[in-house]
Amino acid sequence: MRNLVTRFAMDQSGAAAIEYSLIAAGISVAIITVMQALGSKLNATFNGIHAALK
């Protein structure tokens, strides 16, 4: 039992998966932020085109 607890405490394989998931979450937040800003600019552009065509 003691050997099992020691191996569990020394195991680092789960740490890499957690780090990669945190990096992926950060990238996702950045992409969402950029897409929202880009979407607002595109919406304003198309509204301007729509108003010009009237």
Side-chain angles (χ1 to χ4, degrees), residues 15-45:
I18 292 171
E19 290 170 358
Y20 287 133
S21 64
L22 288 173
I23 291 169
I27 291 170
S28 298
V29 168
I31 289 172
I32 290 170
T33 303
V34 168
M35 293 303 280
Q36 284 180 342
L38 184 63
S40 297
K41 288 182 181 182
L42 281 174
N43 191 20
T45 301

Side-chain angles (χ1 to χ4, degrees), residues 2 6-7 12 34 37 41 43 46 54:
R2 183 176 181 188
T6 304
R7 279 190 302 155
Q12 294 284 324
V34 168
K41 288 182 181 182
N43 191 20
F46 284 122
K54 281 188 177 181

Side-chain angles (χ1 to χ4, degrees), residues 2-16:
R2 183 176 181 188
N3 188 20
L4 179 66
V5 172
T6 304
R7 279 190 302 155
F8 179 75
M10 300 296 278
D11 189 15
Q12 294 284 324
S13 62

